[in-house]
Amino acid sequence: RRIAAEVIDAATEVAELRCATSATLRARLPGAVGLPRDLDAFADALRSSTGLDVPVVRRLVDVYGSRAPKVARYAVEDRALLDRVCPDQPVVFAEVAYAVENELALSVEDVLIRRTSLSLTAEDNGLRAAERVAHMIGVRLGWDTARQTRSA
């Protein structure tokens, strides 16, 4: 947010434009709406209701906030989505499904770089998961096998 505000400030200065004060720093992100104050209790309740392991639940709460139960529901409904995208990170394939169906993720790069940061945090930068991620995206977006292969 800070970087976005700085970019807008710089652009308006260069273009010699006037711009209203940004509300970016005060605006709540969607996952902050309805988020309880006690995040530990929220995480414990999510873990109890889903059976997901602690690191995965912690990540879901930290990343998705009040939307964490919606992401977790994907894994509850399809146990294959409990698999970790990369074995060394607590990111599960439910996040991939959620990103495509709710956040307009349209590519493997979008999922591995922007949505999950696995390209930065995973030991293999998410490369071993690219094919399965492409398949999951393709199934949800109606891609044929050739496009899934090209996208991996």
Side-chain angles (χ1 to χ4, degrees):
R1 288 181 177 211
R2 183 182 54 78
I3 292 171
E6 288 176 10
V7 167
I8 296 300
D9 289 346
T12 56
E13 184 178 320
V14 167
E16 297 179 357
L17 299 171
R18 288 173 160 275
C19 188
T21 303
S22 173
T24 295
L25 295 176
R26 294 182 307 279
R28 294 176 72 184
L29 294 173
V33 176
L35 187 64
R37 288 196 183 277
D38 188 344
L39 293 182
D40 290 332
F42 181 60
D44 288 344
L46 183 60
R47 190 171 104 31
S48 295
S49 68
T50 63
L52 298 173
D53 68 11
V54 172
V56 170
V57 168
R58 189 86 215 126
R59 175 184 159 74
L60 293 179
V61 169
D62 289 348
V63 172
Y64 297 95
S66 63
R67 294 179 172 186
K70 187 173 182 181
V71 181
R73 197 170 316 126
Y74 279 87
V76 170
E77 293 172 0
D78 180 352
R79 300 310 272 182
L81 298 180
L82 279 173
D83 293 346
R84 290 187 181 208
V85 178
C86 297
D88 63 313
Q89 296 297 318
V91 178
V92 293
F93 277 96
E95 293 184 58
V96 177
Y98 181 84
V100 174
E101 294 181 11
N102 296 277
E103 297 179 337
L104 304 176
L106 298 174
S107 69
V108 173
E109 294 83 2
D110 190 5
V111 168
L112 295 178
I113 296 169
R114 288 188 60 229
R115 312 302 171 147
T116 64
S117 299
L118 288 170
S119 64
L120 300 172
T121 59
E123 186 176 302
D124 72 343
N125 304 104
L127 295 175
R128 285 183 290 226
E131 189 174 317
R132 185 168 172 195
V133 169
H135 175 72
M136 287 190 66
I137 294 170
V139 166
R140 283 164 172 75
L141 298 180
W143 294 352
D144 60 25
T145 305
R147 179 156 182 201
Q148 290 177 32
T149 302
R150 280 193 315 272
S151 297

